[in-house]
Amino acid sequence: MTADFQDWARSHQVRIENSLQTLLPAADVAPERLHEAMRYTVLGGGKRVRPLLAFAAGELNKANEERVTIAAIAVELIHVYSLVHDDLPCMDDDVLRRGKPTCHIEYGEAIALLTGDSLQSLAFQLLAEYSLADTPKMQLEMIRRLAQAAGSRGMAGGQAVDLASVGRTLSLPELEFMHIHKTGALIRAAVMLGAYCGSRLDEAQLAALDHFAKCIGLAFQVVDDVLDAEATTAALGKTAGKDAENNKPTYVSILGSKRARELAEELRREAYASLEMFEAAAGRLRQVTDFIIHREF
Amino acid sequence: MTADFQDWARSHQVRIENSLQTLLPAADVAPERLHEAMRYTVLGGGKRVRPLLAFAAGELNKANEERVTIAAIAVELIHVYSLVHDDLPCMDDDVLRRGKPTCHIEYGEAIALLTGDSLQSLAFQLLAEYSLADTPKMQLEMIRRLAQAAGSRGMAGGQAVDLASVGRTLSLPELEFMHIHKTGALIRAAVMLGAYCGSRLDEAQLAALDHFAKCIGLAFQVVDDVLDAEATTAALGKTAGKDAENNKPTYVSILGSKRARELAEELRREAYASLEMFEAAAGRLRQVTDFIIHREF
């Protein structure tokens, strides 16, 4: 990671954090406990990978950063809601997330359920409330994209496949299907929403960008599996080794660590290739790609 | 209830059911079990009060019925998602809904959680995907309204207040605050979204309509409490007497049945008064109001 990228990432993480502080309901507004729980789960945590992708995609076509901030936050809120629900006892039953007790450990299951539900609503509220694209029609397309990415044929659908896979042996294509939905759909939405905030891209550019996003979505998950298998709980800020413990199929359990790392590298090359037509304008997207593939937590 | 209204209600309930059949993902599309659960919870049930309100509001300003159908379905999907999550063991822990086993009894808690999550996403996807208002900008306003009504300062917030109220004595204003959020917000959204599908109303008309919607939202809940206290489980299609059993404050526990029925009647008169400026065009809204107040299930 170059120092230039570190500065950029840091400043955009701060921008996201500050905007979230303002956009989330204050903890002294009724219902206080729910708002407190929403702030607890969203603020001060995470690498903000999806927002960084949205900002980097926005640099392709000179998107206004205030617009991208809202779009990036909407995607991040969907991501955090999914973590809160995923950690519930009826799902992964996890107690640690981003180095803190999970939402239901801190606030109880009922409030955690409502926290996730409310974060999803807030994401769509923000996308509808602010002016984010050159036309309201394009903005509707952003909402449609995010809703589809979040729903049963996107992220939530991927979680359903994940549930059904516990204890089963999956083939590599089945594992890929699961992750394209569970993680990939939202990462694609982050990239596309960032780009929609800027000047219009042509069909070929949108297709290339979408293929780029698919590649890094998968690469992200492959690296996640490697880290889950190899890193410590302290380094991850969430419980390590959960996949093996839960008997969940992963890229590491199917391919082994070495081959999984190679696969991540292949996906990185394919992602880079998709960006060629953008030349220098895709510099930031290349840096975020490297960050995703070479991260250690 | 007049025969004319019964025919109208029946034909619009059928319209909603048929459109839901098409708009919900097919049960043979992956992930099959999730899609099956979504169809199980949404199809073939309920009085569709919120959709009927949207259609009746649409008649104020000659809204296209295909537009109103999509808007009405979006509101209904938010309603059904809230029922699915509300029935979960960590919330009301209920086993019967609309005369059938609740979603988590039939499909397990994890799938029920994802079913609710996916229905919420689908609601916003539909609102963004179809052309529903005279301008895309007005359509963004519809999305913003529904998202706000569903979120922490609307329905989900009302549920959080409800949770916190179990076993406590609430004052009448506190009870009203809870219901204005828990049930009222979504009923208001149903009315306003129906009206947004038609030609533009002026500020005074929108304000009157909003006040109408607030009154019937509260009236709906008052009647619900009376029915929960007095009707049988078989007649309701959901477990009767749950409120008293859970030691939940209700209009009946605070006011008694007789006074609660009088309150519903007062709210009906106030709702009617708000509709005066619309004259004959509000005929259908008056009928739905009577239906809500005088229903027996």
Side-chain angles (χ1 to χ4, degrees):
Chain A
M1 258 196 317
T2 63
D4 162 66
F5 174 71
Q6 278 182 321
D7 288 347
W8 178 86
R10 181 89 199 107
S11 78
H12 285 80
Q13 284 158 342
V14 169
R15 174 186 265 274
I16 286 290
E17 187 73 13
N18 291 343
S19 300
L20 280 168
Q21 286 276 1
T22 318
L23 293 169
L24 285 165
D28 59 358
V29 168
E32 291 85 355
R33 203 170 152 72
L34 177 58
H35 289 150
E36 203 188 302
M38 288 167 75
R39 299 180 75 86
Y40 173 84
T41 50
V42 173
L43 294 173
K47 297 172 288 295
R48 311 294 189 199
V49 169
R50 291 156 195 78
L52 292 180
L53 277 167
F55 281 116
E59 290 196 9
L60 283 179
N61 51 358
K62 302 189 174 46
N64 171 310
E65 287 218 330
E66 286 175 26
R67 287 183 178 177
V68 183
T69 302
I70 300 293
I73 279 178
V75 176
E76 185 70 3
L77 291 176
I78 295 287
H79 173 58
V80 176
Y81 118 64
S82 80
L83 299 181
V84 173
H85 282 187
D86 215 28
D87 286 336
L88 284 169
C90 69
M91 300 280 291
D92 279 357
D93 192 13
D94 217 327
V95 298
L96 192 67
R97 170 73 68 183
R98 292 177 171 176
K100 303 192 292 193
T102 47
C103 186
H104 68 277
I105 295 292
E106 194 72 16
Y107 291 93
E109 278 184 56
I111 286 289
L113 178 66
L114 294 173
T115 296
D117 290 345
S118 302
L119 293 176
Q120 176 165 199
S121 305
L122 184 57
F124 293 110
Q125 188 183 330
L126 293 175
L127 283 188
E129 197 162 315
Y130 291 82
S131 172
L132 302 183
D134 285 349
T135 66
K137 203 165 169 184
M138 253 168 92
Q139 197 164 334
L140 287 172
E141 173 61 12
M142 292 167 73
I143 296 173
R144 192 196 63 74
R145 272 216 169 234
L146 185 62
Q148 191 174 49
S152 72
R153 278 164 291 190
M155 182 184 75
Q159 284 175 306
V161 175
D162 192 8
L163 279 175
S165 76
V166 174
R168 278 184 54 220
T169 307
L170 291 193
S171 66
L172 197 58
E174 285 174 325
L175 188 70
E176 202 165 291
F177 177 92
M178 174 177 99
H179 288 310
I180 283 174
H181 291 80
K182 193 181 165 188
T183 331
L186 203 56
I187 285 182
R188 277 171 75 186
V191 171
M192 301 312 279
L193 262 62
Y196 277 118
C197 291
S199 56
R200 193 181 283 272
L201 298 176
D202 65 32
E203 286 301 312
Q205 288 174 317
L206 286 173
L209 196 59
D210 197 40
H211 187 70
F212 161 79
K214 272 191 215 171
C215 293
I216 56 160
L218 263 186
F220 181 87
Q221 190 58 50
V222 174
V223 173
D224 224 47
D225 286 355
V226 170
L227 291 173
D228 182 76
E230 298 184 350
T232 65
T233 296
L236 287 181
K238 59 183 179 183
T239 315
K242 284 286 287 188
D243 294 335
E245 189 190 306
N246 289 341
N247 203 9
K248 276 195 182 179
T250 71
Y251 284 99
V252 174
S253 71
I254 294 183
L255 298 174
S257 271
K258 180 161 172 290
R259 179 72 198 102
R261 282 190 184 277
E262 284 166 11
L263 175 60
E265 209 45 53
E266 286 161 22
L267 287 164
R268 189 183 75 92
R269 278 195 294 274
E270 195 174 334
Y272 263 62
S274 311
L275 295 177
E276 265 168 29
M277 69 168 74
F278 298 105
E279 303 178 357
R284 209 60 91 181
L285 277 176
R286 293 189 192 94
Q287 289 179 324
V288 183
T289 303
D290 290 348
F291 169 64
I292 286 174
I293 312 262
H294 298 140
R295 73 202 153 96
E296 281 166 13
F297 59 94
Chain B
M1 256 198 316
T2 63
D4 161 63
F5 175 71
Q6 278 182 321
D7 288 347
W8 178 85
R10 179 92 199 106
S11 77
H12 284 80
Q13 284 159 341
V14 169
R15 175 187 265 274
I16 287 289
E17 187 74 13
N18 291 343
S19 300
L20 280 169
Q21 285 276 1
T22 318
L23 293 169
L24 285 164
D28 59 359
V29 168
E32 291 85 357
R33 202 168 154 74
L34 176 58
H35 289 150
E36 202 188 301
M38 289 167 74
R39 300 180 73 87
Y40 173 84
T41 50
V42 173
L43 293 174
K47 300 172 288 295
R48 312 291 189 202
V49 169
R50 291 156 195 79
L52 291 180
L53 277 167
F55 282 116
E59 288 196 10
L60 284 179
N61 51 357
K62 301 187 174 46
N64 171 309
E65 287 217 330
E66 286 176 26
R67 286 184 179 176
V68 184
T69 303
I70 299 293
I73 279 178
V75 176
E76 184 72 2
L77 292 177
I78 295 288
H79 173 57
V80 176
Y81 118 64
S82 79
L83 300 180
V84 172
H85 282 187
D86 215 28
D87 287 336
L88 284 170
C90 70
M91 300 280 290
D92 280 358
D93 193 14
D94 218 327
V95 298
L96 193 66
R97 171 71 69 183
R98 292 177 171 175
K100 303 191 292 194
T102 47
C103 186
H104 67 277
I105 295 293
E106 194 72 17
Y107 292 93
E109 278 184 56
I111 286 289
L113 178 67
L114 293 172
T115 296
D117 290 343
S118 302
L119 292 175
Q120 176 165 201
S121 305
L122 183 58
F124 293 110
Q125 188 183 331
L126 294 175
L127 283 188
E129 194 162 318
Y130 291 81
S131 172
L132 302 182
D134 285 349
T135 65
K137 203 169 169 180
M138 256 169 90
Q139 196 163 335
L140 287 173
E141 173 60 13
M142 292 168 72
I143 296 173
R144 192 197 63 75
R145 273 216 169 235
L146 185 63
Q148 190 174 49
S152 72
R153 278 165 291 188
M155 181 184 76
Q159 285 175 308
V161 176
D162 192 9
L163 278 176
S165 76
V166 174
R168 281 184 53 221
T169 309
L170 290 194
S171 67
L172 198 58
E174 286 174 325
L175 189 70
E176 204 166 289
F177 177 92
M178 175 177 98
H179 288 310
I180 282 174
H181 291 79
K182 193 181 164 186
T183 332
L186 203 56
I187 284 182
R188 277 171 76 187
V191 171
M192 302 311 280
L193 262 62
Y196 277 119
C197 292
S199 56
R200 194 181 283 272
L201 299 175
D202 65 32
E203 286 301 312
Q205 289 174 315
L206 286 174
L209 195 60
D210 197 39
H211 187 71
F212 161 80
K214 273 189 214 172
C215 293
I216 55 160
L218 261 186
F220 182 88
Q221 190 58 51
V222 175
V223 173
D224 223 48
D225 285 354
V226 170
L227 292 173
D228 182 75
E230 298 184 350
T232 64
T233 296
L236 287 181
K238 60 183 177 182
T239 315
K242 284 285 287 186
D243 294 335
E245 188 189 309
N246 290 339
N247 202 11
K248 275 197 183 181
T250 71
Y251 284 99
V252 174
S253 72
I254 294 184
L255 298 174
S257 268
K258 180 160 171 293
R259 180 68 197 106
R261 281 191 184 278
E262 284 166 11
L263 176 59
E265 207 46 51
E266 286 161 23
L267 287 164
R268 189 183 75 92
R269 279 195 295 273
E270 197 175 332
Y272 263 63
S274 310
L275 295 177
E276 264 167 31
M277 69 167 74
F278 298 105
E279 302 178 358
R284 207 63 90 181
L285 277 176
R286 292 189 191 92
Q287 289 179 324
V288 182
T289 303
D290 291 348
F291 169 64
I292 285 173
I293 312 261
H294 298 139
R295 72 202 153 96
E296 282 165 12
F297 59 94

